[in-house]
Amino acid sequence: MTSDDPRPPPRRSFFGALGPNELKGLFWQVLVVGIALAVIVFLWSNTVTNLSARRITTGFAFLGREAGMPIADSLLAYNPKDSYLWAFAVGVANTLRVALIGIVLATILGTLIGISRLSANWLLSRLAAVYVEVLRDIPLLLQLLFWYVLMQALPAARAAWRPVEGVFLSNRGLILPAVPIGAPQLWVLGTAVLGFIAFLAIRRWLVAHPIREGKPRPAWPFAVGLIVVLPAAVSFLLGVSWTIEWPQLRGFNFVGGLTLAPEYFALLIALVTYTSAFIAEIVRSGIQSVPHGQWDAARALGLRRSFMLRQIILPQALRVIVPPMTSQYLNLTKNSSLAVAIGYQDVVSVANTTLNQTGQAIEAISLIMAVFLTISLGISFFMNWYNARIALAER
């Protein structure tokens, strides 16, 4: 066919356009996908056959039935007459109660220990190193059982330890003073959160758009107005009471205040101390990844060490710290399922009880997997967003 021929070139078939290597790769991909589908079909067919033979119905209709199970320590209001669906919701709330608070506390403790490992104080750095090496090398389950047994060995409520006025520690758990939280208090706290978000946006605008004189405009008046004055005004208008409720011993137990049950307290301590040992190493390596010239330049300017860490070193180290820190957050969340070993009723414990009462094994396990998958994806999404936000801009 000459270049002057107006006819289009003949079309080649899909397989004709592929070379030998492409055809070989396509064959193996189709084979692997076919085997995977065959295995899934076999497992599904075998499961349905076995369930039919045992006269076990499938589906999630059981979630609407009365649960009848007691949940001693719950963040949400619960009654055994509630449905299985609400019992699962209570279990999810208990899991989040451990995971979110544990992530915050482990981050703070791990950061402090990681910085301590680099301290010029020999004793402090050695103690931090011992903390990291010991806690990382002991299985988490053993640490969890240790803290739970230790909580059970505490004195009874009548002889409770009182480290601080209004705080009690006994085999009933940790009892703290608390402010009763209702709808009015939630309105005020919500206003404070919105004010904080608005302040962050305003501060970012102030940094990007300085005034014409070239002097930065102070952001603290906006912080005071949005975070302090505005919530105080809402509290005054709604007549919100912020009276502290102090715990008191009545009979063999405490009344009032905030009670952290022994199971929850032991689980929280074990997760925080164990995870913080790994976070400490991440923070230490992140700080050491910052070029030493940054330290020298800061010292040449006469800056304090605390200011150097806070304003110069840690912001640069975050780019190295955040990715592995995400893995530790996910590990802490998934490790909270060990709560079943000490009787803390998280979503795994509630699902196990539901499985034993209803026989809906596949559904109960599927719910557990869905809950942890959703929580893990949420943590990963937030950390990936934050990591992208602090990443260096390519030029």
Side-chain angles (χ1 to χ4, degrees), residues 312-332:
I312 300 174
I313 305 301
L314 283 179
Q316 298 181 69
L318 281 176
R319 301 181 180 96
V320 178
I321 291 173
V322 169
M325 191 85 81
T326 304
S327 299
Q328 294 306 318
Y329 291 166
L330 295 177
N331 289 338
L332 186 148

Side-chain angles (χ1 to χ4, degrees), residues 95-229:
T95 297
L96 291 173
R97 180 188 177 196
V98 172
L100 298 182
I101 296 178
I103 286 173
V104 174
L105 295 180
T107 302
I108 296 173
L109 182 59
T111 302
L112 294 176
I113 294 173
I115 295 174
S116 299
R117 288 212 63 184
L118 300 174
S119 174
N121 188 309
W122 182 88
L123 179 60
L124 181 61
S125 62
R126 296 285 80 78
L127 289 176
V130 170
Y131 176 93
V132 170
E133 295 302 329
V134 170
L135 291 181
R136 286 199 310 172
D137 295 336
I138 299 177
L140 176 58
L141 181 58
L142 292 180
Q143 297 187 40
L144 177 59
L145 295 175
F146 167 79
W147 287 110
Y148 182 64
V149 171
L150 190 64
M151 290 295 298
Q152 297 300 317
L154 291 175
R158 289 182 175 273
W161 295 344
R162 187 182 297 182
V164 182
E165 184 63 30
V167 177
F168 300 91
L169 184 62
S170 68
N171 57 9
R172 299 282 184 175
L174 180 65
I175 297 89
L176 305 169
V179 176
I181 301 296
Q185 287 83 1
L186 290 177
W187 277 104
V188 177
L189 294 177
T191 304
V193 172
L194 293 177
F196 180 73
I197 296 174
F199 165 70
L200 292 179
I202 292 174
R203 188 182 67 172
R204 186 174 183 180
W205 181 85
L206 291 175
V207 172
H209 300 82
I211 59 176
R212 294 180 179 178
E213 290 78 12
K215 298 179 181 178
R217 183 176 298 177
W220 66 265
F222 296 96
V224 173
L226 293 172
I227 303 176
V228 179
V229 176

Side-chain angles (χ1 to χ4, degrees), residues 217-367:
R217 183 176 298 177
W220 66 265
F222 296 96
V224 173
L226 293 172
I227 303 176
V228 179
V229 176
L230 183 59
V234 174
S235 177
F236 176 76
L237 293 175
L238 296 179
V240 179
S241 174
W242 296 98
T243 305
I244 298 178
E245 188 179 64
W246 296 90
Q248 296 179 356
L249 181 63
R250 299 281 180 82
F252 296 98
N253 206 347
F254 293 94
V255 176
L258 175 65
T259 300
L260 304 181
E263 296 80 9
Y264 172 77
F265 195 43
L267 177 64
L268 186 63
I269 292 177
L271 289 175
V272 168
T273 53
Y274 180 76
T275 308
S276 65
F278 292 90
I279 291 178
E281 286 296 275
I282 294 173
V283 172
R284 178 189 62 81
S285 60
I287 292 175
Q288 289 182 328
S289 69
V290 178
H292 201 270
Q294 298 287 329
W295 292 91
D296 296 337
R299 291 192 189 97
L301 294 174
L303 301 178
R304 297 190 305 273
R305 182 179 176 84
S306 59
F307 183 86
M308 286 190 292
L309 277 173
R310 189 174 64 254
Q311 299 294 339
I312 300 174
I313 305 301
L314 283 179
Q316 298 181 69
L318 281 176
R319 301 181 180 96
V320 178
I321 291 173
V322 169
M325 191 85 81
T326 304
S327 299
Q328 294 306 318
Y329 291 166
L330 295 177
N331 289 338
L332 186 148
T333 302
K334 291 180 287 188
N335 287 336
S336 66
S337 60
L338 293 175
V340 69
I342 58 174
Y344 178 70
Q345 292 173 292
D346 66 334
V347 66
V348 176
S349 178
V350 171
N352 286 338
T353 304
T354 302
L355 186 155
N356 293 329
Q357 291 180 350
T358 63
Q360 309 289 150
I362 296 178
E363 293 81 357
I365 295 175
S366 299
L367 287 173

